[in-house]
Amino acid sequence: MAISPADCDLAVLGAGPAGLAAAVAAASAGARVSLVDAGARVGGQFWRHREGDDGAGHHDWRTLVRLRSGLSRVDLRTRHAIWHVERTEAGFTVHTDRGEFTCRAVVVATGAYDRQLPFPGWTLPGVYTAGGAQALLKGHGVRAGSRIVVGGTGPFLLPVAAGLVTAGADVVGVFEAGSPAGFARSPLAVLANAGKLAEGAGYLKTLVRHRVPYRTRTAIIAAHGTDSVEGVTAASLDPGWRIVPGSAREIACDTVAVGYGFTPQLELPLQLGCDTALGADGSLVAVADDRQRASATGVYLAGEVCGVGGAALSVVEGELAGLHAALTTVGAEPGRDTVARLLRQRKSLRAFASAMHAAHPVRPGWQTWLDAGTQVCRCEEVSAGTVRAAVTEFGATDARTVKLLARPGMGLCQGRVCGYATACLVAAECGREPVATDLAGVAARPIAQPVKLGDLARG
C-alpha cells in the first residue's frame, strides 16, 4: 500500500525560545515546517506579551524580534493545543484541538511550568505560582495583588519581584530558601556568562531602589487567612531546609507568589517513548544527544524538556535541533562552523545551568514544614498524612501506587502540580531519594492537554 505524503517535513511543538529557533533554522535550511502552539502569540512563557507590546520590561526582546522575522517561511499554527502525538508508518500524526496533521519528524519544545512545594495554607485564594503572577503581569498587565510576598528558590524570583514592584505593587519581601553564594563554587561557568550576572544585578538594583528586603536561607512556611490570604509565616532555614527554632515571624500581605524552579513538560516525549533521566535539579528530563536527537527515531528535543537552563540555552538547543532535523528530513547539511559555534555556546550555557542548580537545590527539609493535614493534591484534597499513610499502612513503595490507593494526581491537573511533591514524600517515607521512575510515574499522560469531547468528535 502506498504511503501518502506528509503535510510537512517537520512539526515543531511549542513556540517559545527553543521552538522558534528550531522552526526558523529548519525552514531556512529548506524544510517545510509547521510551528504549533496553544498560545495566541509566539514567544512562550519567557516572551509572553500583549498585542502591540514594544518589549519594554522584557529581557532580550531583540532575540524574539529576530526569530519572529524568520517565520515567513513557516506554517504557523497558534491557538492549537496539542493533546497527542502518535507514530505512523509515514512519520507522525499531531493531534490538536483544532484538527490533526502529519509530518516526517518532530521537534518537541514544550518548555516547563512552575514546580510547587506544598505548605500549610498554600491552597488559599491569593497564593500564586511565581510564574502565574508574572504571566498575569506580562500577558495582561494585571498585578496579582497589592501587598505581595515572593518566595521559593532560584534566580527566577528576582525578575518576578522586580516586575511586580515596577508595576506599582508593594513587594514586602523576597524570601530565597537557598543562597546565591553557591555560584562561587563554579567561578569559570559564571565568568563565561557574565551577562547573566549583569541581568541579576539589574533586578537586584530595582529591588534596592524600591527598598524591597531580600532574605536568603528564608522560606514562606505557611499562609494564613479565611476567605483569602491575609499573611504568611516566614522562617530562617538551616542548610537542610529545616526551620531554625525561634526564627518564625508573621508578615501581613494579600498575595503570595512562590516557586521552586520548574518542571519540564514531558507528556509528548513520554507519549513518543523517549528516554528520561533525573536532571541536575531533581526534575525528570528527556534525554537528547549532541544533535538534540531523542532516543526515539525521528524525534528531536530542545529547551526546557531537556533540563531547565534558561532562554539563551533554549535558543541554542532549538537551532541545533532544527538544523539536524532538516538534515534528516530534506538532506540539508548544516555548516560545520555554525554547528561548532552552537556546540560551544551550548556547553558554556549548560555549565552555567549546572552551577545554577547546584546553588539553588531543593533540600528535603521542606517536608518538615507540612503537618498531617496539609493538602498535597489540591484537586482531590489529599493530605500529606494520607500520602504517608499509603506507604506506612498500605505498603505502597512508589508514587504511582500511592496514586491508585489515595488518589493524588487523579484530579483536573493530572499530577502536574502535586506529582513532584508526592514522589518526594513517598521516597522519603520509604527511606530513599527520589529516582527517575518515581517522577515518570506521575508525568506520563495519554492526553497532554485538556481537550473537549466535541473537538474530538469533529476530528
Side-chain angles (χ1 to χ4, degrees):
M1 182 177 68
I3 299 174
S4 60
D7 295 318
C8 63
D9 298 313
L10 178 67
V12 179
L13 314 180
L20 280 171
V24 170
S28 298
R32 296 174 302 143
V33 179
S34 289
L35 175 61
V36 193
D37 194 273
R41 287 172 287 278
V42 299
Q45 297 300 327
F46 184 74
W47 287 309
R48 179 187 284 268
H49 59 283
R50 287 164 278 165
E51 187 69 35
D53 205 325
D54 62 0
H58 293 268
H59 182 68
D60 199 16
W61 185 258
R62 288 177 297 178
T63 299
L64 172 62
V65 173
R66 173 178 63 83
L67 292 172
R68 202 164 49 186
S69 68
L71 294 178
S72 58
R73 304 177 185 178
V74 174
D75 169 33
L76 179 60
R77 304 187 183 205
T78 55
R79 294 190 174 94
H80 282 63
I82 305 162
W83 63 271
H84 188 64
V85 180
E86 64 177 325
R87 188 180 295 278
T88 64
E89 192 174 358
F92 302 89
T93 297
V94 179
H95 299 271
T96 79
D97 60 348
R98 298 178 67 178
E100 63 186 45
F101 66 95
T102 59
C103 57
R104 297 174 59 197
V106 296
V107 174
V108 181
T110 45
Y113 54 90
D114 290 77
R115 179 170 61 184
Q116 288 296 286
L117 302 181
F119 54 89
W122 75 299
T123 58
L124 280 168
V127 179
Y128 293 79
T129 66
Q134 190 184 58
L136 279 174
L137 187 62
K138 292 170 66 174
H140 304 282
V142 174
R143 297 195 308 265
S146 298
R147 184 175 171 84
I148 304 176
V149 173
V150 178
T153 193
F156 182 58
L157 302 182
L158 295 177
V160 171
L164 288 169
V165 75
T166 301
D170 178 14
V171 178
V172 295
V174 178
F175 300 104
E176 164 63 64
S179 172
F183 278 107
R185 294 191 293 268
S186 307
L188 296 179
V190 172
L191 289 174
N193 294 273
K196 291 186 176 293
L197 286 181
E199 179 188 351
Y203 296 134
L204 283 172
K205 183 178 179 180
T206 298
L207 297 183
V208 170
R209 186 169 66 250
H210 289 273
R211 299 182 179 180
V212 176
Y214 179 75
R215 303 283 183 261
T216 60
R217 298 202 180 281
T218 308
I220 300 167
I221 60 170
H224 314 288
T226 50
D227 296 328
S228 62
V229 171
E230 298 170 6
V232 298
T233 298
S236 299
L237 305 178
D238 68 16
W241 285 22
R242 292 179 177 271
I243 299 168
V244 175
S247 67
R249 59 193 184 278
E250 292 195 9
I251 301 167
C253 63
D254 60 28
T255 307
V256 182
V258 62
Y260 287 88
F262 296 91
T263 297
Q265 196 153 315
L266 298 185
E267 290 89 350
L268 299 182
L270 290 170
Q271 285 179 6
L272 292 165
C274 300
D275 288 345
T276 57
L278 202 64
D281 64 346
S283 291
L284 189 71
V285 302
V287 177
D289 67 8
D290 284 346
R291 296 187 176 191
Q292 299 299 139
R293 293 178 300 191
S295 59
T297 303
V299 180
Y300 294 79
L301 306 166
E304 313 286 49
V305 293
C306 305
V308 174
L313 176 57
S314 293
V315 169
V316 171
E317 291 182 349
E319 189 170 349
L320 281 168
L323 290 174
H324 288 111
L327 171 62
T328 299
T329 55
V330 297
E333 188 75 37
R336 291 186 178 182
D337 291 345
T338 298
V339 171
R341 170 181 59 81
L342 291 170
L343 290 175
R344 288 194 300 270
Q345 291 175 340
R346 185 178 66 181
K347 181 178 180 180
S348 174
L349 290 165
R350 283 186 173 177
F352 184 85
S354 295
M356 175 184 68
H357 295 315
H360 295 279
V362 174
R363 301 295 189 188
W366 67 267
Q367 298 175 39
T368 64
W369 312 345
L370 281 57
D371 55 40
T374 301
Q375 285 190 16
V376 175
C377 172
R378 58 195 307 163
C379 297
E380 293 293 306
E381 299 183 349
V382 181
S383 68
T386 300
V387 170
R388 288 167 172 154
V391 177
T392 58
E393 297 181 22
F394 297 102
T397 57
D398 58 74
R400 184 169 179 79
T401 303
V402 170
K403 176 180 177 180
L404 295 174
L405 290 171
R407 296 189 62 80
M410 287 194 176
L412 291 174
C413 86
Q414 287 291 288
R416 290 173 178 85
V417 176
C418 67
Y420 175 81
T422 300
C424 290
L425 286 168
V426 172
E429 206 63 33
C430 292
R432 57 178 177 80
E433 295 290 327
V435 295
T437 52
D438 292 320
L439 297 171
V442 294
R445 300 173 188 96
I447 297 177
Q449 296 283 344
V451 59
K452 298 177 182 177
L453 293 177
D455 293 334
L456 291 179
R458 286 190 293 271

